[in-house]
Structures are given as structure tokens and as C-alpha cells.
Amino acid sequence: MTETTPAAQATNAPSVTDAATVTDAATEPAGPTAGPTAGPTAGPDWERRFRAPRVSLPDWAEDAPDRSLFVSNATGTFELYAWDRATGEQRQVTDRPNGTTDGVLAPDGASIWWFSDTDGDEFGIWLRQPFGGGPDEPAAEGLAPSYPAGLAIGRQGVAVVGRSTDEHGTTIHVVRDGSPEGPVEIYRHRESAGVGALSHDGTLIAVEHTEHGDAMHSALRVVRLDGSPVAELDDTAGGTEELGLEALGFAPVEGDTRLLVGHQRRGRWEPMVWDVASGEQTALAVDLPGDVSAEWFPDGSALLIAHSFKARGELWRYDLASSELTRIETPAGSVSGATARPDGSVEYMWSSAALPPQVRSTAGGAVLDPPGARAPESVAVEDAWVEGPGGLIHALVQRPAGTTGPLPTVFEIHGGPTWHDGDAFAAGPAAWVDHGYAVVRVNYRGSTGYGRAWTDALKHRVGLIELEDIDAVRAWAVESGLADPRRLVLSGGSWGGYLTLLGLGTQPDVWALGLAAVPVADYVTAYHDEIEALKALDRTLFGGTPEEVPERFTASSPLTYVDAVRAPVYISAGVNDPRCPIRQVDNYVDRLAARGAVHEVYRFDAGHGSLVVEERIKQVAQEIAFAEKHLPGADRAREGGAQE
């Protein structure tokens, strides 16, 4: 069966879930041979990196492995594509103004489910389309629109659909093709939850839930199709600290009751095997530093291990019978996804900061090359380790080739906060390097990949802890001669945009300019307007609601410090954003305008980011133009040169 990530894992991380209306989504799809065709790739190198066609790691149907599904931006908008490996035919599945990325193949490969929302608001329904093409139809007739909370498609016409709404919290439903009773609700709770996994025989469902109230640490419950309980695993109860669990998938073998589980019992994410029938838990001898995840090889005899450490990724094979751990050779850089194929080969998505992404196979060569010109290369990253108030901070540095410094420097802050920047290809930072700027990306406390204590450090002093780490790296960048202290730019999207606005207000003497995309700007209003899954996350981070702990929300809200902001500010916001809603951005902008502060605001017709390539280029161009207009010594930055 195939599953999507449940909403229980939702954060303020940048999203790629933008969509058009449900009505538009039901239009006739492209024909059966209409594969990706390259759009325009002209312009300077920085624009060509955005325009260059790219593809995602293909998903494949378990019972029909030649049938695959992937995402591509080849038309200029990210959309879903079906690929029949046996014939080589590819066709475009979705075609909507704001793009589509959420799609799931049925195990038999007969159909594709895809999520249809309204202009990026992430509120919608699942539609279904035959693999070979045809009209879309509601996949779960009778379920009203909602935020998605996981999906698992089984065999014999069974699917499990998770839903989240502000009114009811989370509900989970079993959907059977042709059933006269329609979807059957088997779970309901006010707190965040989601569908984690469905067993190979379709009889057991793993539910990730946060009924204990800590949205950062899920527990697991296994139930039957009628909702009756089978087993419970909860690492949040009975100890001195709460630990999270994650369902990584049932064994892909008929009648097998082993569930692969991610846990934090040793201070980092790593896998174990839990037999939900017997209750036996089997620890795995995967003694690698950093965070470890896993998925099953198709015969259930081994695990594909994904290892993340110090902003790099690598792959291993773990034999369950012998406990032997064998390295799967991949180049140095980042592995952003991997899957084991029935023939034992492994396909993976690889890139580095210098080299654009490519889907590769251990069987040799590229698996799926997008049409058209490859993205221009960029410069490699340098690692910096800086002593901070909470321990060593890892930062990634890129600078224009042949330059020394001090340079105008952009501190590009990642979203999440439970995310991390890695040695991976990114067109945004590369654009700044092309224009003569150094770029520094900081994996502050709250980032993943450095152990549970680092990730969980944010509670109660939200935003302020991250900024302590960013400031420590800023001081290092200036003292080392890399960064010009008069030309420091604080920039980021989503949580990074939030930290940008908070930093401009709490550190007004440090930053010369701020660039905030889809940010949290007024935390109290954001809490009341955001989706329910994020409300739960915020209650965990702050220890309560704005009414229960008002002093914490006040201390962590950029609006509190808006009158102290001195630097020019550029803000971009999606008018349909359900994660960082537009009303709270408007509140912040109104305060800037009331005192005549230098600022620009750009509102775009989408949600939490855009899947349209030209829209993204437009936003980056506006950010660069804003910096060159307001940053001291902008002429010198331009001399660093956009290379055409």
C-alpha cells in the first residue's frame, strides 16, 4: 500500500502544496503520451537554475512496479506525471494554475489519488484518476473538504483517509469502493493525529496521535478496520522526558504484523521493529551518528537506511537476519529520498550545493532525466562550526568564486523549525552568490540532524533561542573577515521569515536589511487563524495558548518589537496561506506603515509558497532589487556580478 505523511507531522516548514480550485481540478487531464516537455530556460544563470526542468524521485506501485508517479516543473509549474516504465510512456496527470504535488499510486497501479485544494489553502478533497488517463472523480465520496491528515491506499478497494478540521480536530475514515454505507469513521480526537501506515493485507492501521497534548512527540496506536484497538506504543508517558514515535511502514509481506517504527530513545531518531501482534520490540544495531530513518526492502528481509549527519546524507542496507550494515555508495552531498526496487537496486535523489539534483540508481546511471538543459552549477559549500550558547552551531557558507571579503552577506534562515539546511542544490542561495553576496545558512537549535536535545531546545523561548545561535554565527562571520558588518541581510521563508522579522526587531543594530517570505509576523493573530495542526504545535512550543501564557507569545512575537525595526523590510505573503495567514502579516505591515518605516509588501495569489516557476523567479528578483536599492554599497555587490 502507499501512504502520505500525516498532518500530525505538520510544522511551519515551507510547503509545496499549492493548488487550484476543485472545479478546475476536475478538468480533462493531458493525453496519455504527454510527458514533460521543457519550458523556457533563457536568462542569466540564476534564473536558469529555477527554470531548468527537474523531476522528483519516482514513486512506484507495489504490485505493478513498472508504474510510477513523479513531480516535474517541465511546463513551468510543478505537476504530477505518470510513467509506464515498460513502454516508456509518460503523461501529465494534473494541470492547474497553481500546480499540484500531492499524489499517491494505488498498490495495483490502476489509479492515482491526488489532493485538490483551493488556490493553495490546503483545504480540499482527494480525487482519483485512472493511471492511463481519464476524468477525475472524488476518491472518497461523502467526505467533506478538510486539511489532509494522511492517506493509505490498500488492496481490494480499501483506503484509509485522515482528515483535520478546525471544528472536529482529526478524524480517520475507512473507504471501500462500492460500499453503500460510504466512508466509515473509526477515529476522532481533538488533538492532532494522522494515518501512519496500513498493513500489507489491509487489516491493520497504524495511527500517529498526540492525544497527550505534545504535538512534537507522537504516540502510536494500531487498530483494525473497525477501529478496535490492537496495540499501543507511547514513549511520552511514564518517563522524565517525552519522546516521539513515527510509523515508517508495515512489512511488505502478506500476514506480517511487523511495523517499522522511528523512535528517540537514544537521543536521536532511529528505527526499530515492533511486532504489533506479539508486542515484541527489536532494537537495531545501527550505530551511526546523527539521525537515522528506514524503509523496507520489498521482500521484507532488509531495511534501506537513510542516514543524516552534519548536513550530509548517505544510504545503508541493514540485513535483519544477520544485523549486517552495508554502505550503499553515493557521492558526497545530500540524499533527499530513496527507495528500494524489487530487483534489489536502490533509486535515490542526490544533489550537492554545487551540482543540481539527479535521480540515480545503484544499478547504474540516471533513472529519470528531465527534458531540456540541465541547471547551471553553483559553488560548493564550506562548513563552519561556531561556539554558541547551546553548543557548537553548524553553518554552511557559500561565497562567490575568487572572492575573499568582507562581502555583503545574506543569512538565509531555514523554515521548520524542525528542518535543516544541507549540502544540497538550492537555486535561491545560488542567485545571491551570482550577485556577489556570500550566503550563510545556520542550523540553529531546533534544527533536525543533530540529535533530539538540539531539536527540542526551543520550548517556551520560541524564536529567541534560534536568534541567539544566528547572532553567534553572525559575529563569527564578521570577525573572520567573511561578512561586511555594514551589509548584513537577514532573510528566510516561513519559520525563517518569522525569525527574520523577530531578529530585525530584537537586534535592530545588527541587520542592514530584512527579507521575509510567508512569515509569522503577529504570533497571537497567527495562532487564531492558522490550521489546527499548527495550533497544536504552537501550544506545545509555548506551553499553552495565547490566553494561557500571554507573556510567552508576547515575548516571541515580531509585532511586539516592530517599532524598534530600523532596517528596510521586504515581505512577501500568500493571500491564501493557511499556515502563516495574511491577516497577521497585514497587522505587522500596518504598524510599519504607521511610522513611515521603509518597507515593501508583495502579496501573491497562492498559499504557503508557489509552485509556479516564474512566480518564484519574480519574488527572488524583487528581493535582490530591494537589497541593491537599500543596502549600503550596492554597486560593489553588483560588481560581484550576475553571470550570464
Side-chain angles (χ1 to χ4, degrees), residues 159-185:
V160 185
V161 180
R163 303 171 63 252
S164 175
T165 63
D166 294 339
E167 181 181 3
H168 298 298
T170 303
T171 59
I172 295 176
H173 307 258
V174 172
V175 178
R176 290 181 170 87
D177 284 349
S179 172
E181 60 183 336
V184 177
E185 182 181 306

Side-chain angles (χ1 to χ4, degrees), residues 264-317:
Q264 296 178 299
R265 295 173 181 177
R266 298 199 302 170
R268 52 87 181 261
W269 281 107
E270 59 185 323
M272 69 175 183
V273 175
W274 176 35
D275 189 322
V276 302
S278 69
E280 180 183 4
Q281 300 175 30
T282 304
L284 305 177
V286 184
D287 291 322
L288 300 170
D291 286 341
V292 178
S293 186
E295 71 167 47
W296 297 93
F297 270 78
D299 63 359
S301 67
L303 302 177
L304 176 60
I305 301 292
H307 175 224
S308 174
F309 186 55
K310 295 183 178 179
R312 272 81 181 179
E314 60 183 14
L315 299 174
W316 299 74
R317 184 183 187 277

